[in-house]
Amino acid sequence: MFSKGTKRKFSDGDEEISDESLVGARVASSYSLQRQSLLDMSLIKLQLCHMLVEPNLCRSVLIANTVRQIQEEMTHDGSWHMVTEAFCGPGQSPSERLVATEVLCRSREQDAEPKLFSVISYEGCREEEVVADETLCSVSVSDTVSNVCLAGRIGQCWEKSELSGVERDEEALEDSRLGSGEDEEIDTEDGASTESPKTTGQVFGTFEIKNSSPAPDSALEELFSDVDTSYYDLDTMLTGMQSAPKMGPYDILDSLAPSHSSPSIVSTPKCRSDLNELDHIMEIIVGS
Amino acid sequence: GYLTDVSVSARPTADIISTVEFNHSGELLATGDKGGRVVIFQQETENKSQSQWRSEYNVYSTFQSHEPEFDYLKSLEIEEKINKIRWLPQKNAAQFLLSTNDKTIKLWKISERDKRPEGYNLKEEDGRYRDAATITTLRVPVFRPMDLMVEASPRRVFANAHTYHINSISVNSDNETYLSADDLRINLWHLEITDRSFNIVDIKPANMEELTEVITAAEFHPHQCNTFVYSSSKGTIRLCDMRASALCDKHSKLFEEPEDPSNRSFFSEIISSISDVKFSHNGRYMMTRDYLSVKIWDLNMENRPVETYQVHEYLRSKLCSLYENDCIFDKFECCWNGNDSVVMTGSYNNFFRMLDRSQRRDVTLEASRESCKPRQVLKPRRVCAGGKRKKDEISVDSLDFNKKILHTAWHPQENIIAVATTNNLYIFQEKVN
């Protein structure tokens, strides 16, 4: 990483700007780079498991708080917007990223049941499984997207015992929500600055899912092939209510609802904007 | 009482030491290790009547306290590593200590046997039964001296009360109860009762995703049996009074120092996390250890510590590297000397620091085979933070971060200290001229 002995000033990098705006821009972008690499490092730390032993909760909490802090700052100064562009990658549209993560989820699902569980929930998973996870990530998506996947694991750090089994459709749900959370609209939301970052909030919220029923492959494919964007009413999915007659796949998603009584998911305005972002993504996928 | 001259004994350990604790008289020193073993050393003093006396600590008892376990429900291993040992005050000939791993606390009785009965009527000396027909006389068995045998036996097992990892245990001054603290909860036990404990602190949020703070250490007040403190990962200490309510979620006092805005960084919270809290012997102060400093708090003043000592300020510019290699999460302990005038804590490169409160002096010493020769005085060490390195100074970039001293202990009455490095236990004694 950085050479030893280099003094890093995360907090006041901008104050060192000289009269030359070029130098200022360089310092600022160097700060951004450092901050980004700190974010990446933190997300990887949260993901890595230590063999069979339950990881240190204090360490996990501290790292997650650091991630939240970084994301808050990035949201404030609008650079979260750049991060989401980076997720798309050169020539890679959001739809490709979504599909890629769906592939990621699907291949993981083919592992033996305990392995799947441990990879998702981070606690108790073996390092070799994590490596396989990263391999999958690198095959189908860029590194920054793997960080997105990893971000999805943060909320699960706390209590492995509360998850009875994480299923593919939940992963798809998480990833689609992550995708929506990182769209361009996020930095223009007034609500974002006063609340914890959308992405982290979404991520933490997602892991209240409990006792969900397994989803067949076909349901997942139907999910992504549907044209009607009203299917992606997040509130509907999360609260289990159906505002209008929906097709089959939603029954599966509805079963995820009971645990989503958390007000941070359902009632905050950010869900509405996420919904719009998800619509946007789905439009791209569908090409309408 | 400022330890400048020391003699030393060092012994290699079979496994990494995870806790060190003197008993109340200082005669016994217990160590726990990663393999679940407890090794107790006993003080043997030569020439005590003379002015120049030396103590040696020799192995007194070794036993396996905890074994690795497997939690089938979570598919996780439970480490046998001993997290903490606390001695009970001695009430009779036997010694008692509590040892704990992540999940289970055990009360051990350590007793000496130096006599054994001989002269049974029905048994031979080797234990074989005699033929009753051959017995023509009766005799009374008598106790005869034997080689000293130290036996450790588990007397109580306090299990299944902690969902999270136990980080602290503390015996109450009432000598009947003790507390055990994990990341989110603190339980109160009676030493005689193993199937029940009372939950006295619970900071687990209803929604785990809202978790941002954990309990890092807890301790009972040395004299007030109703008072205890617990520290958090956000750098706060809460003092609780058990008389106020059964569940002490509401603190009586909250000790927190406002953050220095000029030092703010992404690592501010992590380095503010308190790794250890210890009451002074006199009960008027408490000491906390965070990543870079030691703070002394007056129990009557909540808004800031009365004293702050930098342990290794030169690491402040290295926080990102230390975050990368996880060293920033190292939990250093701290301890008071017998009269609360000096405090001690560990650092990296096998360095440890002694901070003299009364004389406002501090010294950095090294616990290593190269720098410690028996009966030789330890030389103070200096770290060069930057710029020109003087002779005998070591530069920050040369520090070995794998050689960390996390556990230290100070004899309750004498100037004898125990310092645990990764592979060795050092015992230093102040040289008296």
Side-chain angles (χ1 to χ4, degrees):
Chain A
M1 225 196 82
F2 298 107
S3 59
K4 273 192 173 183
T6 307
K7 187 171 168 75
R8 274 171 290 274
K9 286 181 167 189
F10 278 81
S11 55
D12 59 358
D14 290 332
E15 279 91 273
E16 289 173 359
I17 295 173
S18 72
D19 290 336
E20 291 186 28
S21 59
L22 185 62
V23 173
R26 228 179 266 143
V27 168
S29 71
S30 146
Y31 171 79
S32 295
L33 272 173
Q34 290 174 354
R35 184 176 60 183
Q36 179 62 46
S37 81
L38 181 63
L39 178 63
D40 293 346
M41 203 199 316
S42 304
L43 293 173
I44 291 170
K45 276 183 185 301
L46 283 176
Q47 176 71 5
L48 280 177
C49 326
H50 297 277
M51 304 308 286
L52 277 174
V53 183
E54 218 164 349
N56 190 328
L57 185 63
C58 180
R59 177 179 173 273
S60 306
V61 168
L62 289 173
I63 296 172
N65 289 352
T66 306
V67 167
R68 207 182 270 123
Q69 238 188 304
I70 296 172
Q71 288 177 333
E72 262 174 31
E73 193 182 281
M74 289 173 92
T75 305
H76 277 249
D77 63 19
S79 44
W80 198 245
H81 153 85
M82 297 193 297
V83 165
T84 62
E85 281 185 351
F87 286 154
C88 298
Q92 194 182 20
S93 69
S95 63
E96 283 172 28
R97 184 194 59 77
L98 263 183
V99 170
T101 56
E102 187 255 5
V103 167
L104 184 70
C105 303
R106 188 178 292 162
S107 25
R108 260 209 303 276
E109 198 240 7
Q110 267 140 29
D111 289 342
E113 176 44 40
K115 252 188 165 187
L116 167 69
F117 183 16
S118 59
V119 167
I120 303 301
S121 68
Y122 145 72
E123 283 165 322
C125 70
R126 300 173 185 274
E127 276 189 328
E128 54 266 27
E129 292 166 12
V130 175
V131 169
D133 191 13
E134 285 169 353
T135 308
L136 289 170
C137 284
S138 61
V139 162
S140 35
V141 301
S142 67
D143 282 349
T144 48
V145 179
S146 73
N147 293 336
V148 173
C149 301
L150 295 177
R153 309 296 167 241
I154 295 172
Q156 279 174 317
C157 298
W158 309 147
E159 277 193 310
K160 174 173 167 160
S161 57
E162 294 200 4
L163 298 168
S164 61
V166 181
E167 305 299 337
R168 245 185 328 110
D169 57 337
E170 292 165 40
E171 296 158 45
L173 175 63
E174 296 152 21
D175 293 325
S176 62
R177 293 189 65 213
L178 281 172
S180 67
E182 284 130 24
D183 251 10
E184 282 118 44
E185 280 86 340
I186 200 171
D187 56 316
T188 63
E189 287 303 325
D190 295 345
S193 56
T194 55
E195 294 165 9
S196 57
K198 291 180 193 170
T199 305
T200 310
Q202 291 167 5
V203 159
F204 281 129
T206 309
F207 296 98
E208 282 296 287
I209 297 168
K210 295 179 191 184
N211 305 317
S212 56
S213 50
D217 277 8
S218 58
L220 196 58
E221 275 153 15
E222 277 181 79
L223 188 70
F224 283 101
S225 65
D226 273 336
V227 175
D228 189 353
T229 57
S230 66
Y231 284 162
Y232 296 92
D233 186 318
L234 274 178
D235 285 348
T236 303
M237 291 195 291
L238 296 175
T239 58
M241 299 180 304
Q242 290 189 333
S243 55
K246 300 283 196 293
M247 288 171 51
Y250 270 14
D251 296 329
I252 295 138
L253 291 170
D254 285 345
S255 72
L256 305 175
S259 315
H260 272 282
S261 52
S262 161
S264 67
I265 308 294
V266 173
S267 57
T268 53
K270 61 190 183 190
C271 274
R272 300 262 166 240
S273 61
D274 296 340
L275 167 62
N276 295 329
E277 286 142 22
L278 193 51
D279 283 354
H280 174 67
I281 290 171
M282 290 319 300
E283 280 167 10
I284 296 169
I285 292 172
V286 163
S288 60
Chain B
Y2 172 39
L3 220 75
T4 51
D5 308 318
V6 288
S7 61
V8 60
S9 72
R11 62 183 69 247
T13 58
D15 211 332
I16 296 173
I17 289 179
S18 48
T19 184
V20 183
E21 186 83 355
F22 280 100
N23 75 338
H24 292 264
S25 66
E27 185 208 352
L28 298 177
L29 174 67
T31 62
D33 67 22
K34 239 181 99 201
R37 267 178 311 271
V38 171
V39 180
I40 302 177
F41 300 87
Q42 185 183 41
Q43 185 180 23
E44 275 153 31
T45 306
E46 37 180 80
N47 306 321
K48 185 114 197 210
S49 54
Q50 300 173 17
S51 56
Q52 227 182 30
W53 54 271
R54 272 195 70 247
S55 278
E56 252 186 31
Y57 276 82
N58 300 311
V59 177
Y60 178 68
S61 172
T62 304
F63 57 93
Q64 187 76 32
S65 171
H66 287 70
E67 300 275 1
E69 284 171 46
F70 195 78
D71 181 338
Y72 292 95
L73 201 62
K74 297 186 189 179
S75 292
L76 292 171
E77 253 184 27
I78 299 170
E79 277 190 310
E80 67 275 29
K81 174 168 71 87
I82 308 294
N83 293 334
K84 284 280 155 45
I85 289 174
R86 289 290 182 263
W87 291 91
L88 269 56
Q90 190 173 12
K91 277 197 257 188
N92 50 40
Q95 300 276 357
F96 287 87
L97 61 79
L98 288 170
S99 71
T100 185
N101 69 348
D102 283 339
K103 298 285 184 180
T104 304
I105 307 129
K106 294 187 184 181
L107 178 70
W108 287 88
K109 177 181 179 184
I110 295 105
S111 47
E112 291 183 359
R113 191 194 293 229
D114 60 359
K115 303 183 262 296
R116 65 156 181 251
E118 284 177 19
Y120 283 103
N121 291 291
L122 297 174
K123 278 195 288 187
E124 304 284 1
E125 294 308 326
D126 60 7
R128 278 182 304 152
Y129 279 97
R130 294 167 70 187
D131 181 1
T134 64
I135 299 170
T136 52
T137 60
L138 282 178
R139 56 185 177 173
V140 178
V142 292
F143 277 100
R144 297 216 187 279
M146 58 177 261
D147 288 339
L148 178 66
M149 205 167 73
V150 181
E151 298 171 321
S153 58
R155 304 305 281 183
R156 305 268 187 279
V157 177
F158 305 90
N160 304 320
H162 286 279
T163 308
Y164 304 96
H165 291 179
I166 297 174
N167 52 55
S168 312
I169 47 176
S170 178
V171 184
N172 204 348
S173 52
D174 66 8
N175 290 336
E176 286 185 354
T177 58
Y178 74 95
L179 64 77
S180 58
D182 66 29
D183 295 312
L184 298 178
R185 297 190 178 104
I186 301 180
N187 294 330
L188 180 71
W189 301 83
H190 192 285
L191 285 164
E192 299 291 329
I193 299 169
T194 59
D195 61 355
R196 218 172 325 147
S197 71
F198 290 99
N199 176 246
I200 52 178
V201 173
D202 188 339
I203 65 166
K204 182 182 179 204
N207 194 352
M208 275 300 268
E209 70 199 45
E210 288 163 10
L211 180 65
T212 56
E213 190 174 12
V214 300
I215 296 170
T216 52
E219 196 181 46
F220 265 119
H221 190 278
H223 312 134
Q224 296 165 18
C225 58
N226 53 285
T227 305
F228 66 93
V229 294
Y230 67 94
S231 59
S232 83
S233 56
K234 285 196 169 169
T236 64
I237 309 100
R238 286 170 175 82
L239 185 142
C240 301
D241 186 337
M242 295 196 293
R243 297 170 301 189
S245 68
L247 188 61
C248 299
D249 275 0
K250 264 200 176 142
H251 51 264
S252 299
K253 294 190 184 183
L254 174 67
F255 297 83
E256 188 175 14
E257 185 172 27
E259 197 186 351
D260 177 6
S262 64
N263 266 338
R264 174 128 191 88
S265 74
F266 283 118
F267 306 109
S268 293
E269 185 183 313
I270 299 179
I271 64 170
S272 76
S273 173
I274 292 171
S275 52
D276 195 13
V277 63
K278 290 268 171 50
F279 278 104
S280 61
H281 290 98
N282 61 21
R284 289 172 48 202
Y285 300 96
M286 65 178 175
M287 161 168 56
T288 57
R289 174 69 155 99
D290 50 67
Y291 191 62
L292 296 179
S293 68
V294 160
K295 295 178 181 175
I296 312 284
W297 302 79
D298 185 322
L299 294 184
N300 296 316
M301 187 159 72
E302 297 168 61
N303 58 353
R304 61 177 174 82
V306 290
E307 293 155 39
T308 301
Y309 301 95
Q310 301 304 328
V311 180
H312 36 217
E313 182 68 10
Y314 46 78
L315 295 183
R316 192 179 288 274
S317 56
K318 308 282 176 197
L319 292 178
C320 196
S321 306
L322 294 165
Y323 180 73
E324 190 184 5
N325 63 17
D326 265 12
C327 281
I328 207 173
F329 301 108
D330 286 337
K331 290 192 190 282
F332 291 95
E333 291 172 9
C334 52
C335 60
W336 299 82
N337 75 338
N339 60 15
D340 300 330
S341 60
V342 185
V343 297
M344 173 169 66
T345 188
S347 178
Y348 295 104
N349 208 71
N350 283 341
F351 287 170
F352 60 100
R353 302 263 289 141
M354 301 181 95
L355 312 157
D356 191 327
R357 302 176 58 215
S358 47
Q359 298 186 20
R360 295 275 162 198
R361 282 195 295 176
D362 60 87
V363 71
T364 304
L365 300 169
E366 182 178 351
S368 71
R369 292 217 173 262
E370 299 77 42
S371 57
C372 301
K373 303 281 183 285
R375 313 213 184 211
Q376 218 180 63
V377 169
L378 280 182
K379 201 174 66 170
R381 312 285 291 163
R382 249 175 278 277
V383 176
C384 166
K388 204 164 154 57
R389 186 175 75 89
K390 299 193 192 77
K391 179 179 178 289
D392 283 349
E393 276 186 356
I394 180 168
S395 80
V396 186
D397 297 315
S398 312
L399 294 175
D400 187 341
F401 290 96
N402 291 318
K403 295 184 178 170
K404 52 193 89 172
I405 291 178
L406 302 174
H407 312 286
T408 59
W410 205 310
H411 191 291
Q413 276 130 34
E414 295 157 18
N415 276 341
I416 299 172
I417 59 175
V419 174
T421 63
T422 311
N423 295 316
N424 286 284
L425 175 71
Y426 289 84
I427 301 185
F428 300 108
Q429 179 184 334
E430 184 179 28
K431 185 173 171 191
V432 182
N433 287 323

